[in-house]
Amino acid sequence: MCLPSINSAEARSSVILLERLGLIRRIGNGRYEQTAVSITGGSEHFNTARRRFNSEMIKRALDANESIPPTERNVSGLTLGVSHGCYDALVAEIMMFKERVKRIVVQDAASDRVYQLNVQLFPLSISAQKESTDE
């Protein structure tokens, strides 16, 4: 069921890892269930793993943009001019948006598919203010 597909050895290895990490548990008849709706973490090891995961999901978004029909994906973007203060406000808004998304998903008892939601906000230029102070 994974996109892109994985082989049985990769699936088996992943299940073993998820069970060892306590993220899933066996419920019988060869079935597993999640132990939590979502996970969070704050250790440096977790932060490194999260950065790697985010990088992999960004790569998968590139593939999905070409291989998944638009009716099953939503890919969009904005290119904006912002100040540092506006950046901080946007980061706060993104955090609130993610919390609203989590609340919606937690209430979805009919979940039948796994989706990845990426939100990136990154500079495409150096700061004009920094540039003028370097002259």
Side-chain angles (χ1 to χ4, degrees):
M1 293 180 66
C2 293
L3 295 173
S5 62
I6 60 174
N7 63 41
S8 59
E10 292 168 317
R12 191 174 305 108
S13 174
S14 295
V15 168
I16 290 168
L17 175 62
L18 291 170
E19 192 173 23
R20 184 173 56 84
L21 294 172
L23 299 175
I24 61 172
R25 67 176 159 247
R26 186 184 305 254
I27 58 171
N29 298 337
R31 296 180 56 93
Y32 293 83
E33 69 180 3
Q34 292 174 231
T35 57
V37 174
S38 63
I39 59 171
T40 60
S43 72
E44 183 56 36
H45 293 297
F46 185 85
N47 289 336
T48 300
R50 181 177 36 217
R51 278 192 304 276
R52 287 184 184 154
F53 177 81
N54 285 338
S55 293
E56 181 61 31
M57 291 302 105
I58 291 167
K59 290 175 192 171
R60 292 206 181 176
L62 287 169
D63 294 339
N65 196 39
E66 299 300 325
S67 65
I68 306 287
T71 56
E72 297 181 32
R73 62 159 171 83
N74 181 304
V75 176
S76 61
L78 300 167
T79 304
L80 312 160
V82 301
S83 66
H84 184 72
C86 183
Y87 169 82
D88 290 341
L90 291 172
V91 169
E93 188 66 30
I94 290 167
M95 298 303 288
M96 290 187 299
F97 166 69
K98 287 169 47 180
E99 288 302 317
R100 288 192 305 271
V101 168
K102 286 191 274 185
R103 283 194 301 271
I104 292 167
V105 170
V106 165
Q107 296 174 5
D108 182 18
S111 173
D112 66 347
R113 192 170 189 183
V114 176
Y115 271 79
Q116 175 67 29
L117 173 64
N118 295 336
V119 179
Q120 293 95 28
L121 178 62
F122 56 91
L124 294 176
S125 69
I126 61 171
S127 169
Q129 216 172 33
K130 182 177 179 351
E131 179 70 14
S132 66
T133 61
D134 288 346
E135 293 176 358

